[in-house]
Amino acid sequence: METFGLKIIASDKVFYEGRCRNLVIPAPDGEKGILPNHENMVIAIAVGIARMEVEEGKWTEVAVGTGFAEIVNNRVTLLVDTAERPEDIDVRRAEEQRERAEEQMRQKQSIQEYYHTRASLARAMNRLRLAQDKKWNI
Ligand code: ATP
């Protein structure tokens, strides 16, 4: 089967670089699937779970923060603020992040602080969702 080049870049690291057969990314208006030879485009990425099929039938899930995907000539680049595999998620830290953000949401905040807290809460909930889905195998 054909593949495409995939590079996933988070703020602090190159998370993945290699070939991919099929990629599903969370976009603001739902999931988008990317197969080889997809037309060139730029897609916004929302906080959510991306799935990539690197080997046939073997899917890897990744908790991603916001960013965008660029598709040019069968090469896909994902630029996201954060990216974590389920096994790398520190559940306790994510619970603390969620509690901290929920507490901040109850406080008076500037608009800028509010958006920052809301984004932090979304990342924490997303990490918990991926880590707990794996734990309970659902
Ligand atoms: P906050 O969301 O409250 O600002 P933070 O600054 O600790 O928390 P992020 O800015 O979302 O977290 O991420 C910073 C770095 O830490 C990124 O590399 C991210 O992948 C990693 N990271 C954050 N939270 C976790 C977690 N619960 N488990 C594993 N890695 C995490």
Side-chain angles (χ1 to χ4, degrees):
M1 182 179 164
E2 281 188 86
T3 59
F4 55 90
L6 173 64
K7 191 166 183 178
I8 303 179
I9 305 168
S11 321
D12 57 345
K13 59 184 175 281
V14 175
F15 177 85
Y16 177 80
E17 188 167 14
R19 307 301 298 175
C20 183
R21 305 164 71 93
N22 195 347
L23 174 71
V24 178
I25 53 172
D29 55 344
E31 291 192 319
K32 305 267 182 246
I34 301 171
L35 287 166
N37 304 309
H38 195 288
E39 66 177 314
N40 294 349
M41 66 169 58
V42 171
I43 304 170
I45 299 177
V47 174
I49 295 165
R51 286 178 281 132
M52 53 185 194
E53 187 186 14
V54 172
E55 288 167 38
E56 194 177 355
K58 212 175 142 200
W59 289 84
T60 302
E61 291 184 304
V62 188
V64 292
T66 52
F68 66 89
E70 182 198 53
I71 311 169
V72 180
N73 298 338
N74 209 33
R75 301 182 68 82
V76 180
T77 307
L78 256 58
L79 263 176
V80 286
D81 54 13
T82 57
E84 297 111 31
R85 292 180 178 82
E87 61 271 25
D88 295 334
I89 293 174
D90 180 336
V91 172
R92 191 170 196 164
R93 180 173 164 193
E95 277 164 355
E96 284 167 6
Q97 286 162 335
R98 184 186 62 188
E99 281 164 22
R100 194 166 53 241
E102 282 173 347
E103 179 54 34
Q104 281 164 352
M105 289 299 242
R106 286 192 280 271
Q107 310 295 324
K108 193 167 164 54
Q109 299 183 94
S110 66
I111 289 287
Q112 201 179 357
E113 286 165 342
Y114 168 76
Y115 285 126
H116 183 89
T117 308
R118 195 176 65 170
S120 176
L121 182 58
R123 287 195 299 275
M125 303 278 280
N126 190 45
R127 287 176 182 127
L128 290 170
R129 181 159 75 100
L130 184 58
Q132 277 156 12
D133 278 2
K134 288 287 143 192
K135 188 167 145 198
W136 302 110
N137 202 21
I138 48 174

